[in-house]
Amino acid sequence: MIRRPLALTVALTLALGVFASLGVAQAKKPAPAPKFQVSVLPIDVTKDPWAWVSPTDWPARAYPPIHVFGHTYVDGKTEAALTISMLKVGTPVIAAYGGVVTRIQLQPESCDAEVYVSLPKGGTLHGSYDHITPSVKVGQKVVAGQVIGSVPAWQCNEPYGGMELMVIESTSKGTQARCPLSIVDPKKKALIAGQIRSVMEKWNAYVGDATSSGGSSAYTADDLARGICETTYAPAG
């Protein structure tokens, strides 16, 4: 049996402890990949961004201010985005989730643009903000809650604006539009649901009896119960 001096034994023990701790540090698990989760509405609906028109005028007579995803409105088209209309021109548009700006498609025919924001490492979900004036650039990282643009006049010259948040998902059934509010951060779900419900109630009070004469579109009892998603998926085209 080899006997080492006490001092040498202590030094070796300390050295092994240091190396062991370094090994633990190096073996740390990588940070979890970011999730595609909506954590804030793309429009701050608590700050009265509305330019509501008369209940008997377009678009009020056909659509409520926040269109119900998956609902088929009077034109027969299924709503495939979180669409917010009758907004004040210049209203800030907010990033609903964090990611990277991958593309900006200018749309001169409507005097606006569509801004595509994806997660840094891709995935099956991709989102875009349509009909906005962007304040971001391709390659720029954005965080949820950050202003990424503003609402221009609808179709270049209307006295109000509108925007769409579309989420496209690659599924076993092919590419589909997914209701953005079906993938809300669980910690923010109650807050966002409350904000949507408040808009619904204010709109129903605003249009009042106009709906009884077919003058405008109000939220139904089912809309109030379900929230803004009538279904999870809708045709993307």
Side-chain angles (χ1 to χ4, degrees):
M1 179 177 181
I2 299 175
R3 296 184 179 275
R4 297 188 181 93
L6 179 59
L8 179 58
T9 301
V10 172
L12 287 171
T13 302
L14 290 173
L16 288 172
V18 170
F19 285 128
S21 64
L22 287 174
V24 170
Q26 292 173 350
K28 266 189 175 180
K29 292 182 178 179
K35 292 183 178 180
F36 195 116
Q37 287 184 330
V38 171
S39 57
V40 62
L41 290 174
I43 299 293
D44 186 348
V45 299
T46 68
K47 291 187 176 179
D48 188 24
W50 310 110
W52 289 352
V53 300
S54 167
T56 56
D57 291 341
W58 181 268
R61 69 173 183 269
Y63 303 100
I66 303 180
H67 302 194
V68 178
F69 179 93
H71 187 71
T72 301
Y73 288 101
V74 291
D75 60 0
K77 181 181 177 182
T78 301
E79 192 63 49
L82 171 59
T83 301
I84 306 179
S85 63
M86 290 181 283
L87 294 165
K88 294 174 184 175
V89 173
T91 297
V93 177
I94 303 166
Y97 57 93
V100 178
V101 179
T102 55
R103 181 185 173 199
I104 296 178
Q105 179 66 49
L106 299 179
Q107 301 173 142
E109 70 281 1
S110 53
C111 302
D112 54 38
E114 185 168 7
V115 177
Y116 296 80
V117 179
S118 299
L119 293 182
K121 294 185 179 180
T124 60
L125 291 165
H126 302 276
S128 68
Y129 303 79
D130 200 6
H131 303 300
I132 75 172
T133 299
S135 59
V136 292
K137 298 179 180 180
V138 173
Q140 182 175 339
K141 292 182 179 180
V142 298
V143 297
Q146 175 180 339
V147 174
I148 60 172
S150 60
V151 175
W154 185 256
Q155 298 299 316
C156 303
N157 56 15
E158 294 289 352
Y160 55 82
M163 60 81 56
E164 301 174 1
L165 170 60
M166 175 170 275
V167 176
I168 297 297
E169 182 171 4
S170 300
T171 72
S172 59
K173 296 181 180 180
T175 301
Q176 299 185 71
R178 178 161 180 170
C179 181
L181 296 186
S182 69
I183 45 174
V184 173
D185 180 346
K187 296 179 182 178
K188 304 294 180 65
K189 190 172 184 178
L191 176 64
I192 291 176
Q195 292 174 348
I196 293 291
R197 180 65 180 256
S198 178
V199 173
M200 288 178 159
E201 291 173 345
K202 288 177 181 177
W203 177 250
N204 281 2
Y206 175 73
V207 299
D209 294 335
T211 55
S212 62
S213 58
S216 64
S217 175
Y219 295 105
T220 67
D222 285 343
D223 294 335
L224 293 171
R226 274 194 305 252
I228 211 68
C229 297
E230 185 173 271
T231 181
T232 300
Y233 295 101

